[in-house]
Amino acid sequence: MNIMKIHNDEDFVQTGANLVAGLLQSNPKAVLGLATGSSPIGVYERLVKMYRGGLVSFAKASSYNLDEYVGLPVDHPESYRSFMNKHLFSQVDIDLSRTHVPNGNAGDLAAECLAYDQMLENEGPVDLQILGIGSNGHIGFNEPDAGLNSGTHVVDLLPDTREANARFFPSLADVPRQAITMGVGSILKARQILLLVRGAEKAEAIRNAVQGPITTQCPASLLQIHPNVVVLVDEGAGQWLK
């Protein structure tokens, strides 16, 4: 793991954006694994700025998102498809037909999970997988458990995850109780992983993930076995790292 503690927001977003842009400059047909949440927003905004400045193009790239809520309409402002459209897809030259987000409204969710894995298998591996981390150590929506699923699957969201996401909804009752997520096995197939971690509330989670034991009770700790992980932490998140 290459762990980088970044001292200001400007350097954090530029470092993350440079990694994505550098990949696209060297491999315009790169397969990107994308994440939602507060940590990658600044990186996406910087990539939009770089695109407008003629520094990067997404025209030949494709993307696969980690996860999506189950039962939330695709045009709901808090769906992850809406998030990606707002913060990246609608503002760059990516072909929307090559942007993939799990369908949380599929009539057969098990079949949707299998189809998503098959697309990843056919088009992958992902060249660069962007990740955030939950305060309980989850990546994607792979929650702490006695065992973890390797492939894409439906997960019941834990109460603390729903509570953490409630700030985006009118009330806790409006937060979906399930999501579709890529499995840890799928995530680990990526050629490179970029883990973005911001905020003091993530300090314990990232310390456990990168310096604690490898355990399914902290799904992010399995990233320790990957050969090419870049971890960007801000001052708050990295305060307990050695």
Side-chain angles (χ1 to χ4, degrees), residues 60-75:
K60 297 180 180 179
S62 58
S63 70
Y64 286 85
N65 263 73
L66 283 168
D67 44 27
E68 178 61 282
Y69 288 117
V70 168
L72 204 62
V74 68
D75 58 353

Side-chain angles (χ1 to χ4, degrees), residues 184-213:
V184 173
S186 298
I187 291 170
L188 292 175
K189 289 180 181 178
R191 290 191 171 102
Q192 184 175 31
I193 292 173
L194 172 61
L195 178 59
L196 303 169
V197 193
R198 304 174 75 175
E201 70 277 8
K202 302 292 181 70
E204 182 177 7
I206 191 59
R207 180 181 64 179
N208 291 340
V210 303
Q211 295 180 343

Side-chain angles (χ1 to χ4, degrees), residues 2 15 21 37 122 141:
N2 180 9
T15 301
N122 292 342
F141 270 129

Side-chain angles (χ1 to χ4, degrees), residues 1 3 132-139 144 160 195-213 215 217-224 231 233 236-241:
M1 279 188 176
I3 302 172
I133 186 173
S135 57
N136 63 3
H138 73 235
I139 49 176
D160 55 353
L195 178 59
L196 303 169
V197 193
R198 304 174 75 175
E201 70 277 8
K202 302 292 181 70
E204 182 177 7
I206 191 59
R207 180 181 64 179
N208 291 340
V210 303
Q211 295 180 343
T215 170
Q217 295 301 326
C218 178
S221 68
L222 275 77
L223 297 176
Q224 294 180 42
V231 182
V233 296
Q239 62 184 296
W240 292 344
L241 295 179

Side-chain angles (χ1 to χ4, degrees), residues 149-213:
N149 286 287
S150 175
T152 303
H153 60 285
V154 176
V155 61
D156 294 325
L157 301 180
L158 295 180
D160 55 353
T161 296
R162 294 184 67 245
E163 288 170 9
N165 290 352
R167 66 189 187 277
F168 301 117
F169 291 85
S171 70
L172 179 60
D174 295 299
V175 181
R177 296 181 177 275
Q178 290 185 312
I180 296 181
T181 184
M182 285 169 54
V184 173
S186 298
I187 291 170
L188 292 175
K189 289 180 181 178
R191 290 191 171 102
Q192 184 175 31
I193 292 173
L194 172 61
L195 178 59
L196 303 169
V197 193
R198 304 174 75 175
E201 70 277 8
K202 302 292 181 70
E204 182 177 7
I206 191 59
R207 180 181 64 179
N208 291 340
V210 303
Q211 295 180 343

